[in-house]
Amino acid sequence: MSEDIIIGVDLAKNVFQLHGAQRNGQVLFRKKLSRAQFRTFCEKHPRCLVAMEACSTSHYWARELQGMGHEIRLIPPLYVKPFVKRNKNDAADAEAITEAALRPSMSYVVPKSADQQASTMMMRTRDQLLEQRTATVNALRGHLAEFGIIAPVGIKNVSKLRSILADAEDIPVLVTEMANLHFDRIDRLSCDIEALTAKIKDHCCESDTAKRLRSMPGIGPIAAIVIEAFAPDMAHFEKGRDFAAWLGLVPKQHSSGGKTRLGQTSKMGQRDIRRVLITGAMSRIAGYARQNSRAEPWLQDKLDRKPKMIAAIALANKMARQIWAMITKEEKYQPRKIVA
C-alpha cells in the first residue's frame, strides 16, 4: 500500500515541507519537518516514491533516500512551476512537486553519484578561479590606465604591466602598493589554476571514458572531464539526437498551424558541456583555416553559406551525437573517410 504513496518534498537547509498523496491524487498528509526530523521520518516510513526538485542538495538527498529503499524522482524546477497554485510558499511548492510527479509523461533528472559531484566541484572551482583572475586583471588594467600605464589584453601581458609600472616615474607610492596586491593575487590564482589543471589531466589519464573522448578532434582533457562529470548515463538517451537536445544544441520552435518555425539555439540544457563542445568546434574550424585546407563537405557547405558561429553550433551538435555513440558502443572516434 505504501508503494502507492507519493511524497513531494520541498528541500531547504533546515526546514523541509512534505506533501503526501496517493497516486489518484488524494491528499494524505502535509508536514513541516526539521532536517533531523526529515531523516528520521524517511527512515521509518515504508518504501514509497519521493519526488523532489532537481535543485541544491537534491542529489545528496536522492542518494540518502535511495539508501533507505525509497524510489527517487528529481524533477527540473521549470517543469514544476506550472503546477504551483496562486501564491508561492513551501506547502504550495511541495504540492506542485507531487502533482508534477503524478504526470506519466514527466521528464526526470538522473541522480548524480558522489564521485560525479566531486568531479563537477573540481571543474566549477577551476572556472571560478579563472573568473576571479580575469576580474582581477581587468581591475588592475583599469586602475593603471588612469596613470597612463597600458598593455595589450591577456593574462600573458600582466608581466608587461609589472615592468612598465616598475620603470614609470612620478607614480604615487600608494598606486605601486595597490598594484602589487593585484599582482600577488593574480600569481596565487595562477598557481591554483595550474595545480587544478594538472589534477584534471592526471584524472583524464586514469579514466577510460576520458581517453575515449579525447580521441575526437576538438576534445581535450578539460572537455573530456567536463563531459564525464556533467553528463548522465548515456543509456537514458534513446539516440544521439536526444543527447544533443538535452544539451540545448537544437533550435527553438515557434511552430503553429502545421507550419514549422525554427529560431535561434535554445540553450535550454547543460551549459558546461554545451560550452566545451562549441569551443571545441570553433577550434576545429580554426584549424582548417590555419592549415588553409577545406573542411569535410557538409561542414564546408555551412561555412560557405552561414556565419562561423552557426557552423560551429552545427558541428557541436554532430559532436554530441558522436559522443553518445562512442560512449554507448565503447568505441574510439572513427573519422569518416572522404571518397574522392
Side-chain angles (χ1 to χ4, degrees):
M1 183 66 179
S2 61
E3 294 187 4
D4 293 331
I5 297 177
I6 298 179
I7 301 178
V9 182
D10 183 52
L11 296 173
K13 184 170 65 175
N14 294 317
V15 180
F16 296 75
Q17 183 71 43
L18 278 64
H19 182 93
Q22 292 183 346
R23 292 185 183 268
N24 59 8
Q26 180 181 353
V27 179
L28 298 177
F29 60 83
R30 295 184 177 92
K31 294 179 180 290
K32 181 182 290 186
L33 304 176
S34 67
R35 189 180 184 89
Q37 290 173 336
F38 174 66
R39 183 183 292 275
T40 303
F41 173 83
C42 293
E43 288 175 346
K44 294 181 178 180
H45 197 281
R47 183 181 185 277
C48 65
L49 173 62
V50 181
M52 300 176 287
E53 282 186 329
C55 58
S56 177
T57 72
S58 62
H59 293 278
Y60 163 76
W61 283 112
R63 295 193 298 270
E64 292 292 311
L65 297 181
Q66 282 178 337
M68 300 175 189
H70 297 292
E71 181 183 353
I72 305 301
R73 290 183 181 175
L74 300 182
I75 309 174
L78 184 65
Y79 296 165
V80 174
K81 187 175 181 180
F83 296 96
V84 178
K85 299 175 182 176
R86 289 183 177 267
N87 298 321
K88 183 187 183 302
N89 52 59
D90 292 346
D93 288 345
E95 182 179 359
I97 293 170
T98 304
E99 290 289 339
L102 288 170
R103 297 291 181 257
S105 61
M106 182 56 63
S107 299
Y108 301 103
V109 175
V110 181
K112 295 179 182 291
S113 65
D115 291 338
Q116 195 173 13
Q117 282 198 290
S119 297
T120 61
M121 180 178 178
M122 177 174 63
M123 303 309 299
R124 289 273 168 84
T125 301
R126 182 178 181 274
D127 289 343
Q128 183 182 23
L129 293 177
L130 285 170
E131 291 175 359
Q132 291 176 355
R133 186 178 69 176
T134 301
T136 306
V137 172
N138 290 340
L140 176 63
R141 287 170 51 81
H143 290 315
L144 294 183
E146 298 295 332
F147 298 92
I149 299 175
I150 60 172
V153 178
I155 185 65
K156 62 183 180 181
N157 294 309
V158 172
S159 58
K160 292 184 179 180
L161 283 175
R162 197 193 301 262
S163 60
I164 294 173
L165 177 64
D167 297 336
E169 299 178 356
D170 300 329
I171 298 295
V173 176
L174 187 58
V175 172
T176 304
E177 292 177 353
M178 294 300 102
N180 288 332
L181 286 177
H182 284 75
F183 287 129
D184 292 341
R185 180 168 176 78
I186 292 169
D187 292 339
R188 289 196 302 270
L189 288 171
S190 297
C191 291
D192 292 339
I193 292 169
E194 290 175 2
L196 268 180
T197 303
K199 185 181 291 293
I200 291 170
K201 291 181 178 179
D202 291 341
H203 181 71
C204 187
C205 294
E206 298 173 358
S207 172
D208 293 335
T209 301
K211 291 179 183 177
R212 193 176 299 117
L213 291 173
R214 288 190 64 185
S215 64
M216 174 182 288
I219 302 295
I222 302 297
I225 298 301
V226 166
I227 295 169
E228 184 182 25
F230 289 96
D233 186 357
M234 291 296 177
H236 290 86
F237 300 106
E238 185 177 350
K239 50 184 178 294
R241 292 181 183 273
D242 294 339
F243 178 55
W246 181 79
L247 295 177
L249 288 170
V250 293
K252 287 182 179 179
Q253 282 204 39
H254 303 277
S255 305
S256 180
K259 185 175 182 179
T260 302
R261 296 183 180 89
L262 300 180
Q264 60 185 5
T265 307
S266 69
K267 297 183 182 179
M268 296 183 66
Q270 220 298 320
R271 62 181 178 87
D272 300 273
I273 301 178
R274 183 176 64 247
R275 180 186 62 190
V276 297
L277 287 183
I278 294 177
T279 303
M282 288 293 289
S283 69
R284 288 176 62 173
I285 293 174
Y288 289 120
R290 286 195 304 270
Q291 298 170 8
N292 196 22
S293 61
R294 294 180 64 82
E296 49 192 294
W298 78 270
L299 178 58
Q300 189 61 51
D301 177 65
K302 287 179 173 54
L303 289 171
D304 293 339
R305 297 184 298 107
K306 301 289 185 179
K308 187 181 296 183
M309 179 54 70
I310 294 179
I313 292 173
L315 178 57
N317 183 293
K318 183 177 181 180
M319 291 170 65
R321 302 197 305 271
Q322 292 172 330
I323 287 170
W324 176 86
M326 290 165 58
I327 294 178
T328 54
K329 298 179 181 179
E330 297 184 353
E331 297 177 350
K332 290 188 176 182
Y333 176 77
Q334 299 177 359
R336 180 177 296 180
K337 295 182 180 179
I338 300 176
V339 180

